[in-house]
Amino acid sequence: MGSMNSRTLAAVAVIVNLTVCALTAVVVLVVRDRDAAPVAAPAASSSVPTTSARSSSTPVTTSSTGPTTTSPSAVPGGTQPVTGPAGITTVIPAGWEVKPTSSPGSVQATDPAQSSRFLRYGGAPSPGKALLAAQQDYERTFPRGHPGYRLIGLEPTTVRGAEAVSWEFEFQADVGLKHVKSVYWRAQGVDYFVYGSSVVAGWTDMQVIFDAALSGAKP
């Protein structure tokens, strides 16, 4: 009887542990910031994903042309200079609220009149692999936590002569369909980034804000 009770208790303990782990995983998924994209992520391959492997996405394009930029003076209401992680400096719309994010090396500037519209910027030490390869690998995993994800473009580019990657996509969020554009560049052993997000209907205005932030970003 004692042996049977021990085996029964052990089995119950295993079930309880599995249940707790499952609940913990659910909590992590629920509280995860769905609009987040890290500066860099480990990559298993440097090959460009193909549309045959990912039918929900548009083709990934490659380009050597630098990203389009807009003068900070083009932002309605003007801009204000800010400094972020790893010494990055840029400009954001005047009056936007700046707060740290849950990701190290990143801060967020949010439109106080429309919380679904924001910029993120920052930097972190470069990983031991090519910038494009790192972003390609992370992009492959991104759709798992982002319903309705649609890739618009993931392409190499340059930012003031530095190696860079532009990543643009849409996904379904609680506030509706969102459009995101981010540019990552590598300089002096650091991967810097500027990231803009808004609902699709407001992306035309957000594009001006994003371009101004990228244009004003240093290094």
Side-chain angles (χ1 to χ4, degrees):
M1 179 67 70
S3 176
M4 178 63 70
N5 287 340
S6 297
R7 286 197 294 270
T8 302
L9 290 173
V12 170
V14 170
I15 293 172
V16 169
N17 286 336
L18 290 174
T19 302
V20 170
C21 290
L23 289 174
T24 301
V26 170
V27 171
V28 170
L29 289 174
V30 169
V31 301
R32 180 185 177 190
D33 183 353
R34 287 187 168 184
D35 217 339
V39 175
S45 170
S46 61
S47 60
V48 177
T50 62
T51 53
S52 60
R54 300 175 48 248
S55 59
S56 62
S57 299
T58 57
V60 178
T61 57
T62 58
S63 171
S64 59
T65 303
T68 301
T69 56
T70 298
S71 168
S73 62
V75 177
T79 60
Q80 64 186 59
V82 289
T83 301
I88 189 174
T89 60
T90 184
V91 294
I92 63 173
W96 279 28
E97 301 171 350
V98 179
K99 293 182 179 180
T101 72
S102 58
S103 301
S106 172
V107 294
Q108 178 171 309
T110 306
D111 183 349
Q114 188 176 339
S115 61
S116 62
R117 184 165 73 164
F118 57 83
L119 287 167
R120 285 183 182 152
Y121 50 91
S126 303
K129 74 182 320 170
L131 183 61
L132 177 60
Q135 292 303 321
Q136 287 172 342
D137 191 66
Y138 179 64
E139 191 273 337
R140 292 185 186 95
T141 69
F142 198 73
R144 297 173 191 169
H146 298 78
Y149 173 77
R150 183 178 73 88
L151 176 64
I152 296 174
L154 177 60
E155 56 191 33
T157 183
T158 59
V159 171
R160 289 173 287 281
E163 173 191 6
V165 175
S166 176
W167 182 15
E168 192 166 5
F169 59 91
E170 293 177 353
F171 74 98
Q172 192 67 44
D174 293 340
V175 295
L177 189 63
K178 295 207 75 176
H179 189 109
V180 175
K181 185 172 184 179
S182 52
V183 172
Y184 308 81
W185 69 97
R186 184 165 291 180
Q188 302 170 355
V190 176
D191 286 358
Y192 297 96
F193 75 97
V194 172
Y195 175 105
S197 178
S198 77
V199 294
V200 168
W203 180 252
T204 299
D205 292 337
M206 186 63 197
Q207 177 79 65
V208 175
I209 295 170
F210 173 85
D211 286 346
L214 182 60
S215 177
K218 296 179 181 179

